[in-house]
Each structure stands twice: as C-alpha cells, then as structure tokens.
Amino acid sequence: MASAVASKSGPIAHGEVPTFPVTVIVRRFDPEVDSEPRWVDYDLQMHGTDRVLDALHKIKWEIDGSLAFRRSCAHGVCGSDAMRINGKNRLACKTLLKDLDVSKPIYVEALKGLPLEKDLIVDMEPFFDSYRAVQPFLIASSKPKDGKERLQSAAQRKIFDETTKCILCAACTSSCPVFWTDGQYFGPAAIVNAHRFIFDSRDEGAQVRMDILNDREGVWRCRTTFNCTDACPRGIQVTKVIGEVKQAILRGKP
Amino acid sequence: MTTPTIESPKAPVRTHRSRFNLEAFGWVFMRASGIVLVVLIFGHLFVNLMIGEGVKALDFAFVGGKFSDPFWMVWDTLLLWLALIHGANGMRTVINDYAHNRLVGVILKGFILVATIVLLVLGTLVIYTFDPCPAGSPADLLPSFCGTVG
Ligand code: HEM
Ligand code: SF4
Ligand code: FES
C-alpha cells in the first residue's frame, strides 16, 4: 500500500485516470413514436472512475439529448435511478463501469414489472400503492410523557435497524419473478417497510400490518428466490426480512 | 417553541381478514409435508429398490406382500396423500404464477383438483381392497403366505 499512499500525496497529473472504450446498449422507448422498445448502441470512451450513470449522462449530454432517465442525488441516496444493468437491478449511480465486463457491451434497460413510460422511466405508482397499503408510518395512541420523545433501548432499535435503510428504489420489488407475473403481490419493498414498523417497540399497528400481509397477495406469495436480496443497493437482507415477517404472522405477534 | 398537536395520530385502517387463512396454512403444509415426505420417499425407495435383491425383487408377490402388511399400508397411504396434496398445492402455486388469464387459471386448477381427488380415491381403494391372492392364479407368482390362506 506504500505506493498508493505515495501517489496520493504527490501531484496527480491530468489524464491519469485511465480511459477505455465501452459500448452501452440502451433499451429505448418513445411512446409517441415506437410501438415496441428498441435496443440502441452507443460507443463511448469512459474513465476508470465512471459509473453507469456517467455513461448515461455522456449519452444524454453529448450524443442524444432525448434519452430519458431519472436521477437526482447521483450518490445512492434518493433511490431514483434503479434500472436493469446487464440483467440485474442496480442503481446506475452506484455501479462502476470497471466492475462490469467492459469487453462486452453493457445492456441497460428499465425496471421490469412496472409499466414502461419512456426509455428508462417506469410508472412507480403501483409500487408506491403497495408501499402505502402497509401503512408505513408510526401508529401510536399515546402521547410521549412530558412532551418528550418516545424512549427506546439500543437493543429494541437494533431489531429493525436494517429495514430503516430502505430508499424505496424498487430494485427489489421489480426483480421478483412473482411480482413480474402477479402485479397484485405486495412485493419485497412493501414488506421491508412493514417490517420497519412491525418490529418497532414504539408502534402499535403491528397487528394491522400483519393482517394486511397475511393476505392472498401478501407474504405467502414469496418463494424465497433471493433476487431481492441480490438487488438491494442498501445491502438489506430482503429475503431474510420477509422470512421474519412470515414468522411473526405465524406467531401472531412481532 | 411548541410542537403541533395531532389528536390520535393516524388511526389505523382496520381490515377484515381472518387471522389464519388458506395461504398461510398452505405455506406451513408445504414445509411440514416436505419434511415427512423426505422420510417416506427415501424409505420407500430404499425398501423397494435397494434392500435384498434390489429392483429384481419387485414383482406381484412383493407388492402383494406389502399391501397385506398394516405397517406398509399406513406408510403408503401417508405417502399417497401427502405427496398428492403437496404436489397439487405446488402446481396450484405454479398456475397462480403463470396463468395470466383468470379463466384459464380457474380451469387448470379445476383439473388439478379433480385429478387429485380421483387419484386419492383410487389409490386408497387399491391399498385397502387389494387382493394379494386372486383365485386361480399360479402359486409361484403369489406371495408365500397365500397357500395357507386359501
Ligand atoms: C423429498 C421431499 C420433498 C420436500 C422436502 C419438498 C419440499 C417442498 C417445499 C418446501 C415446497 C415449497 C416451495 C416454496 O414455497 O417456495 C415445495 C414445492 C413443491 N413441491 Fe415439493 N417437496 C418434496 C417432495 C415433492 C413431491 C414428491 C412432489 C410431487 C408429487 C412435489 C411437488 C412440488 C411442487 C409441484 C411444488 C411447487 C413448486 C414451486 O413452488 O415452484 N414435492 N416442495
Ligand atoms: S429494500 Fe432495498 S431494493 Fe428494495 S426498495 Fe428498499 S432500498 Fe430498494
Ligand atoms: S441518483 Fe439518487 S440513488 Fe442514484
């Protein structure tokens, strides 16, 4: 590591980051022109530090300004740029090109299972409908004492710590084969966000949420495929979380 | 500084759903029956195909002998019912996954239900009404105990 430290302290010459050619193939769809989506190739010269999002920016800013995709924070926080990259759901802003095999073309397309609107943009409403349906907010009948906060021990907080990290990017739900064929299924993200409150000691709505998920289209549709766990950019063990909700429903309490 | 007061914040929307529904039962059943099936299936395969002369021992007499032994009758009944219901419920899941059209799904699931019931009835009948010593058959094809019975 000595050389790495040395080069850090020394001046960095311009153009030191190596560049390489890469072909990005984007599944384009313009509802006003196309009847079917079509794959379009773009040959780019990219840097070793670039992400798929940078490649999309390069296309949009330098080649074809009509390319449509969502992004906001560009740093894995907002959850707006989940898409299928080489067949796997990833955030474009967290996927480095050099981690993909750039000797082959990189395929980029919109999330599967949600209605395609344009290019890489899907209609997220069905996804948010399921999210809303699990009542993802604190349900408490009492007021905290003396106008203070509701107390919770570190151990109590730890139980649902993992599911507080969700950024609602829909990568998990739209990677689930059950969701692809059964749009009624609540999907992993809704279950993750139900878990967030079911296991929160301050919340009183666990029973209601468990009733909602103990439904024909609820947790029992999950077939432990693990696509969701693989897709989650926040590293949430989604399949395990769903398993915990199943167990809680069978127990009848969190 | 005061915080706004919200009376009874966000009352939960009550939904009317039974606590223990068929989907939950099916989920538990697939796992419970799966565990029992491991024992039943491998026990069945071991006894039929590996013990003694192995697969060569399988003939009318062998099957007749098993269907005359209460232990194997209970074993085979359990195997029949658990495997068929497990398999049928599994196929129901697969149809739910793949049949986009509601009517097609209902028809396919109807077939599964009918086939399952017919096979359960026929199979159970065979296990409990099987005659290991049909009259007028050559003795060398029958189980050894036939001579003493009739
Ligand atoms: C060796 C013993 C067996 C075990 C441990 C076992 C276990 C399981 C489990 C746990 C599931 C549920 C999977 C899920 O919900 O994700 C399942 C599904 C299924 N099982 Fe079995 N099973 C066994 C034998 C059988 C047999 C003998 C049959 C056929 C008669 C069968 C047919 C099916 C079918 C069709 C499914 C649905 C497949 C799917 O969900 O994709 N299984 N099995
Ligand atoms: S659980 Fe992970 S993959 Fe699913 S919506 Fe939340 S952050 Fe995205
Ligand atoms: S742009 Fe915000 S998460 Fe990628």
Side-chain angles (χ1 to χ4, degrees):
Chain A
M1 288 308 290
S3 62
V5 173
S7 74
K8 242 185 195 165
S9 54
I12 293 169
H14 261 302
E16 194 175 82
V17 179
T19 69
F20 49 83
V22 54
T23 305
V24 177
I25 307 185
V26 184
R27 192 166 182 257
R28 304 285 311 261
F29 176 65
D30 180 350
E32 289 173 7
V33 183
D34 305 321
S35 55
E36 283 290 311
R38 61 207 156 81
W39 292 95
V40 182
D41 298 25
Y42 300 95
D43 293 317
L44 311 166
Q45 191 70 26
M46 301 302 298
H47 288 102
T49 48
D50 283 337
R51 306 152 298 168
V52 172
L53 181 65
D54 298 306
L56 295 176
H57 277 154
K58 206 174 174 75
I59 297 169
K60 187 172 177 71
W61 294 340
E62 295 173 18
I63 302 175
D64 184 350
S66 72
L67 178 68
F69 57 91
R70 287 195 185 100
R71 75 103 172 81
S72 180
C73 69
H75 291 280
V77 180
C78 69
S80 55
D81 64 342
M83 54 189 72
R84 256 164 92 84
I85 298 168
N86 281 349
K88 294 196 162 168
N89 286 2
R90 297 284 181 263
L91 293 181
C93 65
K94 280 185 83 169
T95 308
L96 282 168
L97 289 169
K98 71 174 176 62
D99 291 342
L100 303 167
D101 181 4
V102 287
S103 67
K104 295 202 193 96
I106 292 167
Y107 290 85
V108 180
E109 59 190 303
L111 292 177
K112 236 175 119 161
L114 290 163
L116 183 60
E117 291 198 324
K118 188 180 180 189
D119 294 342
L120 301 175
I121 296 182
V122 292
D123 179 5
M124 296 281 280
E125 251 348 277
F127 171 78
F128 288 124
D129 281 344
S130 301
Y131 171 61
R132 282 185 209 106
V134 301
Q135 311 191 23
F137 39 77
L138 187 82
I139 299 174
S141 56
S142 64
K143 285 211 188 79
K145 281 202 182 68
D146 313 323
K148 291 220 171 101
E149 70 271 35
R150 294 170 210 276
L151 294 179
Q152 184 169 59
S153 71
Q156 285 171 325
R157 176 64 170 68
K158 200 168 180 292
I159 297 171
F160 63 94
D161 183 65
E162 195 170 1
T163 45
T164 62
K165 297 185 161 64
C166 174
I167 55 174
L168 292 173
C169 65
C172 55
T173 295
S174 61
S175 75
C176 175
V178 175
F179 181 78
W180 292 340
T181 46
D182 175 10
Q184 300 296 106
Y185 172 44
F186 276 95
I191 302 171
V192 162
N193 286 278
H195 179 283
R196 155 71 184 83
F197 288 98
I198 288 173
F199 293 95
D200 186 336
S201 61
R202 300 163 295 188
D203 185 86
E204 290 164 20
Q207 208 59 56
V208 179
R209 297 194 189 89
M210 286 177 351
D211 281 352
I212 293 169
L213 291 176
N214 187 17
D215 179 75
R216 213 182 105 74
E217 304 296 349
V219 286
W220 309 117
R221 293 295 265 130
C222 165
R223 310 268 289 289
T224 49
T225 314
F226 282 91
N227 278 16
C228 49
T229 299
D230 177 58
C232 181
R234 305 287 296 155
I236 299 172
Q237 301 288 309
V238 183
T239 312
K240 173 174 145 260
V241 162
I242 297 174
E244 286 172 9
V245 175
K246 283 175 183 164
Q247 294 298 327
I249 291 175
L250 289 180
R251 270 198 306 276
K253 61 180 172 36
Chain B
M1 200 186 87
T2 56
T3 46
T5 38
I6 306 169
E7 286 313 322
S8 169
K10 316 250 172 101
V13 184
R14 275 275 159 201
T15 45
H16 299 282
R17 288 188 175 97
S18 57
R19 270 281 321 285
F20 203 76
N21 62 30
L22 207 70
E23 294 297 323
F25 179 77
W27 188 87
V28 175
F29 174 80
M30 289 307 269
R31 275 133 193 94
S33 60
I35 293 169
V36 182
L37 278 171
V38 171
V39 178
L40 291 177
I41 291 174
F42 286 100
H44 172 85
L45 293 177
F46 182 68
V47 168
N48 277 27
L49 307 180
M50 289 172 73
I51 270 183
E53 290 174 67
V55 71
K56 287 191 203 71
L58 274 187
D59 54 13
F60 183 88
F62 182 91
V63 177
K66 274 183 94 182
F67 280 164
S68 310
D69 180 342
F71 176 81
W72 288 112
M73 286 165 80
V74 171
W75 184 290
D76 285 353
T77 311
L78 269 176
L79 184 56
L80 175 73
W81 281 71
L82 286 182
L84 261 179
I85 298 175
H86 175 104
N89 190 45
M91 288 309 293
R92 186 185 68 93
T93 315
V94 173
I95 292 168
N96 281 341
D97 278 351
Y98 288 101
H100 286 276
N101 186 308
R102 232 188 88 78
L103 183 68
V104 173
V106 170
I107 293 173
L108 287 176
K109 280 184 268 186
F111 274 132
I112 302 256
L113 183 70
V114 172
T116 307
I117 292 173
V118 168
L119 288 171
L120 281 180
V121 170
L122 283 182
T124 312
L125 262 175
V126 168
I127 295 175
Y128 290 96
T129 62
F130 191 81
D131 181 1
C133 311
S137 306
D140 60 330
L141 294 182
L142 296 179
S144 54
F145 55 76
C146 279
T148 60
V149 178

